[in-house]
Amino acid sequence: RHNLGFLILDRIAAIHRVAVTRPEFQTLTGSWKLDGKEAWLVKPQTYMNRSGSAVRELFDGAGAKIKDLVVVYDDLDLPFGRLRIRARGGSGGHQGIESILETLGTENFFRVRVGIGRPPPGVEAVDFVLETFSGAEIALLDGILNRGADAVVALLREGPQKTMERFNRAE
């Protein structure tokens, strides 16, 4: 479940024929033209709770700007498959986001949160996020990945307001 953000990036890469294989800045990157502008897909290769160091290195080395950052990640506090786009905010307890917040010193970056739901009774959150998807979840996964990919591309094309209006409601 913890790789849901990477799975959505993989879906975007497949749709736009982007190879996310270039090792640089503690990440794997791939770029393409989206409406005539360069867009990057970036997968930090650090431990999740140290994602901020990879983001900082990317910003320092490639000249990326905070206003252009979109972070896609799993969220325990949303029902499975539910999307929530935000233009800013805290970490909500997500250690990867906490690392990015601490490293960048700002909460003003876009997030696409993808729900994985809460663990069942008796299962610790850390164990739950590291488990594979259940059979019922796998049956829904393709649609969730497509919707997540659409949300990220819409955010890049249309900006936050239209994207939030379109994707923040339950499907």
Side-chain angles (χ1 to χ4, degrees):
R1 292 180 178 93
H2 212 31
N3 290 325
L4 195 50
F6 275 19
L7 292 174
I8 289 172
L9 292 186
D10 289 343
R11 183 59 52 97
I12 297 167
I15 291 167
H16 294 277
R17 295 185 176 100
V18 179
V20 185
T21 56
R22 191 171 53 242
E24 56 187 348
F25 313 118
Q26 297 186 71
T27 69
L28 294 176
T29 66
S31 63
W32 86 104
K33 294 287 184 187
L34 181 66
D35 300 336
K37 296 179 182 176
E38 187 174 33
W40 286 32
L41 296 175
V42 178
K43 293 180 175 182
Q45 297 299 290
T46 59
Y47 288 108
M48 180 271 303
N49 61 353
R50 299 196 30 91
S51 298
S53 66
V55 172
R56 169 54 56 203
E57 217 176 289
L58 177 71
F59 279 32
D60 292 346
K65 306 261 188 284
I66 291 173
K67 69 178 183 62
D68 298 323
L69 178 64
V70 177
V71 180
V72 183
Y73 63 99
D74 60 281
D75 193 315
L76 280 165
D77 293 325
L78 291 174
F80 182 74
R82 179 82 186 268
L83 295 180
R84 198 73 165 167
I85 290 106
R86 291 282 182 245
R88 59 175 308 193
S91 70
H94 193 286
Q95 292 180 358
I97 297 300
E98 185 64 37
S99 174
I100 294 170
L101 290 167
E102 288 176 6
T103 304
L104 296 182
T106 183
E107 56 183 42
N108 295 325
F109 56 88
F110 297 111
R111 303 108 194 278
V112 177
R113 298 167 42 209
V114 188
I116 59 172
R118 299 298 304 172
V123 177
E124 294 294 322
V126 68
D127 295 327
F128 181 71
V129 299
L130 296 175
E131 289 178 355
T132 58
F133 295 105
S134 70
E137 291 169 333
I138 288 171
L140 300 172
L141 196 56
D142 193 55
I144 293 165
L145 297 179
N146 285 335
R147 186 164 160 79
D150 289 348
V152 172
V153 171
L155 189 55
L156 297 173
R157 283 186 165 145
E158 301 169 16
Q161 193 59 44
K162 283 185 178 180
T163 304
M164 288 188 283
E165 289 170 7
R166 184 168 149 206
F167 288 95
N168 280 356
R169 60 180 175 249
E171 183 163 276

